[in-house]
Amino acid sequence: MKIESWLFLGGIFFFIPVGIVYGVMTEWNEWVGFPALFMVAGMAGMIGFYLYYTAKRVGPRPEDRLDGEIHENAGVIGKFAPWSWWPLMLASAAAVGFLGLAIGYWILYLGVGLAVIGIIGWVYEYSRGDHAH
Amino acid sequence: MVSVGTVVWLSSELMFFAALFAMYFTLRAAAPEMWATESAKLNVPFALINTIILVSSSFSCQMGVFRAEDLKPRRTGGLFNFKEWGMVEWFILTFILGAIFVSVQAYEYTELVHHGVALNSNAYGSAFYMTTGFHGLHVAGGLIAFLLVIGRAYIARNFGHFEATSAIVTSYYWHFVDVVWIALFAIIYFLK
């Protein structure tokens, strides 16, 4: 985990100095550039610190150790749908909605209605029916 | 896995708001005298109270997350026994606070339109409504996410890590939107 944390955290050490240099050269009068550069540092930091603290929490993973074995990574890593029609449904709803922006607003309302069905269907797919728990 | 994806997506959201800030400051640099006259029409104390409401919703959201991590979806005590509240009660409180924020902001918009600051009136109006409006849309999206998470807690007979994960990532989003608002508030209402 160390490498992937520092891969992102490294961005901080580039973008903050660059932002400061930018600020000094524009005498901090130009407010578009240096906040944007600092925010890029923030973007890198968000992912980097998240990975860093997650790494601290979970400890060294098998792929971080020289004596790690493939079977040690067996087990549940998350909940993934093996098949689901809902992403397709939601994407179609978005497509209909954008079609509405291009052609006529009345189509947008159809897209919104379909999107509501798609979101609810997707979110509750593993909470109802055969999957109720 | 869900939380990693959420953090990566939120970092891209940060750049979305970076573009809005860049737009705001570009227009501000192009028309400084317009900024001086138009930003004087803002009601700063009113917006400050609204900011406090949004920030407090972040705290109630985090309390809900702690309860979700304890796998405690519902309250076990009386309605006003806050210590025994579950995730659902804290998230409903968060939802109410967030809804107040959006409603107050809508009221603020109508006030500003009466004072001649509208989306199509001038560059300041465009910058103001685009930045705060996109933030408001994010808050509204967060409210929908809270409803979906609360619904998941109600529908589940066994509240487990599946439900808790969605609650936790929703809180990441909520805190992010909250922090963006603090930056927006500082820029629009204090820096001007």
Side-chain angles (χ1 to χ4, degrees), chain A residues 31-32 35-36 39-40 42-44 46-47 50-51 77-80 119-120 122-124 126-128 132-133, chain B residues 1 3-4 7 10-11 14-15 17-18 21-22 25-26 28 147-148 151-152 155-158 162-163 172 191:
Chain A
W31 278 76
V32 180
M39 284 175 91
V40 180
M43 175 185 78
M46 270 176 78
I47 305 173
Y50 181 80
L51 292 175
I77 56 165
K79 180 114 186 145
F80 303 99
I119 288 172
I120 290 176
W122 196 348
V123 170
Y124 293 112
Y126 284 98
S127 298
R128 62 191 184 84
H133 56 271
Chain B
M1 290 301 273
S3 47
V4 177
V7 170
L10 287 179
S11 72
L14 186 69
M15 296 329 289
F17 281 103
F21 286 133
F25 285 121
T26 306
R28 180 171 173 265
L147 285 185
L148 293 170
R152 263 190 180 176
I155 211 169
R157 268 196 303 279
N158 300 310
F162 174 65
E163 283 79 16
Y172 287 172
L191 192 70

Side-chain angles (χ1 to χ4, degrees), chain B residues 13 40 44 47 112 164 175:
Chain B
E13 284 270 280
V44 178
L112 282 170
H175 294 320

